[in-house]
């Protein structure tokens, strides 16, 4: 199944895509959040679709597309998780996952504008596979256990300001947590619809020019291993979002370093997860 949220900021309506029909989920829940996922929301939705009790959402095609998960408790990110990206960044291949956090308030819709920070000269793009946690993971022991706790997957844009991240002291968070720096969506695609999360193509264009073209098969630490690892250090709760890293092709790794500027348009795609587009604007 594909889930989404449609409507103005703060007034999004939870929906499920029933083939070409968009159905209103409000008979089951007021939002797509951790409580919905923890309460077997996916199973209840499947049952409601089979019984034909979910109404069509009138006027859905004209509505703004919001992030498919309401404000997550946390956004956890894995850095340098593709060998080619580590190489272009001049970094050593990590021996265990590089973990950092991103302010959950950075999460916006997949077609919302990305705001270039006022002092920014190095705002960069990163297409990533996002994991959405469906049930609590605490000290996960096996890869199978970890994957069973995944609600689904989405497209994440881990926008990064490289000067803030790498040249201004401290940890990476300053370059990762600027407003609008995590467009997400358009869909939450349930895990049963993704046959193999390690066999997905990720692509990104800037102003129509190809910049990134990679595959999740090249992850250093695959999805299941990321979940097991993270759960040793933090509890992962339903609705949490995990960004799993980006392949080569970011501005930081290019000789001309063509960082984003106001007016640039970024398109992103991941196999089976849809398409997203953001325009860069001044903050």
């Amino acid at each position: 199944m594909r889930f989404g949220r449609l409507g103005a900021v703060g007034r999004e309506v939870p929906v499920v895509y029933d083939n070409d029909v968009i159905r209103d989920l409000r008979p089951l829940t007021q939002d797509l959040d951790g409580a919905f996922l923890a309460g077997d929301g996916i199973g209840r939705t499947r049952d409601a679709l089979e019984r034909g009790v979910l109404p069509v959402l009138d006027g859905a095609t004209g509505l703004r597309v919001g992030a498919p998960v309401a404000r997550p408790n946390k956004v956890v990110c894995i850095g340098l998780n593709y060998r080619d990206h580590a190489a272009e960044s001049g970094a050593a291949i990590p021996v265990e996952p590089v973990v950092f956090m991103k302010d959950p308030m950075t999460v916006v819709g997949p077609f919302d504008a990305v705001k270039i920070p006022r002092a920014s000269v190095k705002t960069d793009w990163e297409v990533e596979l996002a994991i959405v946690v469906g049930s609590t993971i605490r000290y996960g022991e096996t890869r199978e256990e970890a994957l069973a706790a995944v609600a689904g997957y989405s497209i994440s844009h881990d926008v990064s300001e490289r000067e803030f991240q790498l040249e201004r002291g401290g940890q990476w968070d300053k370059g990762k947590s600027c407003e609008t720096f995590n467009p997400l969506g358009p869909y939450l695609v349930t895990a049963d619809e993704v046959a193999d999360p390690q066999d997905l193509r990720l692509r990104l264009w800037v102003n129509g020019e190809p910049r990134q073209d990679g595959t999740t098969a090249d992850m250093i630490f695959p999805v299941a291993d990321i979940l097991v690892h993270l759960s040793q250090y933090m509890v992962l709760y339903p609705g949490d979002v995990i960004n799993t890293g980006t392949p080569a092709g970011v501005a930081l790794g290019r000789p001309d370093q063509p960082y984003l500027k106001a007016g640039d348009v970024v398109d992103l795609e991941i196999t089976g997860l849809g398409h997203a587009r953001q325009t860069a604007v001044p903050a």
Side-chain angles (χ1 to χ4, degrees):
M1 286 184 291
R2 294 179 299 153
F3 290 90
R5 297 168 66 246
L6 303 178
V9 176
R11 299 196 298 275
E12 293 91 346
V13 174
V15 300
V16 62
Y17 294 84
D18 182 14
N19 296 316
D20 294 330
V21 177
I22 301 175
R23 299 196 178 275
D24 193 335
L25 271 178
R26 284 177 293 183
L28 298 182
T29 183
Q30 288 304 300
D31 216 338
L32 293 176
D33 54 16
F36 170 76
L37 295 172
D40 191 28
I42 293 174
R44 290 188 294 116
T45 300
R46 184 175 291 109
D47 176 69
L49 286 173
E50 290 175 353
R51 293 186 291 113
V53 298
L54 295 177
V56 174
L57 181 65
D58 292 333
T61 55
L63 295 176
R64 166 186 169 269
V65 181
V69 181
R71 192 73 64 202
N73 288 320
K74 57 181 174 287
V75 177
V76 189
C77 304
I78 307 300
L80 304 172
N81 197 28
Y82 288 74
R83 288 177 175 82
D84 55 1
H85 175 55
E88 72 174 352
S89 302
I93 302 298
V95 296
E96 64 177 63
V98 174
V99 179
F100 62 93
M101 309 293 284
K102 196 161 189 168
D103 182 356
M105 295 297 286
T106 59
V107 174
V108 295
F111 302 101
D112 291 347
V114 166
K115 296 181 180 180
I116 305 292
R118 293 179 183 178
S120 171
V121 294
K122 296 183 179 180
T123 296
D124 207 347
W125 58 80
E126 293 189 26
V127 59
E128 306 202 7
L129 174 68
I131 307 166
V132 179
V133 178
S135 58
T136 301
I137 313 175
R138 179 185 286 107
Y139 298 108
E141 295 183 356
T142 68
R143 304 175 85 248
E144 292 74 21
E145 175 189 357
L147 289 175
V150 174
Y153 301 93
S154 192
I155 301 172
S156 186
H157 188 182
D158 178 20
V159 186
S160 309
E161 212 298 338
R162 301 302 188 186
E163 182 187 14
F164 299 176
Q165 176 189 358
L166 302 172
E167 303 173 34
R168 300 296 294 272
Q171 300 183 358
W172 287 7
D173 301 54
K174 286 192 292 187
K176 297 286 188 173
S177 290
C178 304
E179 61 178 334
T180 73
F181 264 27
N182 206 133
L184 187 70
Y187 311 116
L188 165 59
V189 178
T190 54
D192 62 313
E193 297 285 340
V194 180
D196 183 357
Q198 304 309 143
D199 186 25
L200 303 176
R201 186 180 183 186
L202 309 87
R203 293 188 289 174
L204 181 147
W205 299 258
V206 178
N207 299 326
E209 293 293 327
R211 296 301 191 197
Q212 291 183 276
D213 189 348
T215 169
T216 55
D218 293 335
M219 283 183 180
I220 299 169
F221 306 102
V223 166
D225 293 349
I226 288 170
L227 293 167
V228 170
H229 181 83
L230 289 177
S231 72
Q232 310 307 308
Y233 304 99
M234 64 186 77
V235 179
L236 300 174
Y237 293 103
D240 285 353
V241 172
I242 302 168
N243 292 336
T244 58
T246 198
V250 300
L252 175 68
R254 295 175 60 89
D256 52 343
Q257 296 194 330
Y259 291 108
L260 293 174
K261 60 185 183 302
D264 285 345
V265 177
V266 181
D267 287 276
L268 310 92
E269 288 184 358
I270 298 180
T271 307
L273 304 185
H275 167 264
R277 169 178 286 184
Q278 299 101 41
T279 300
V281 302

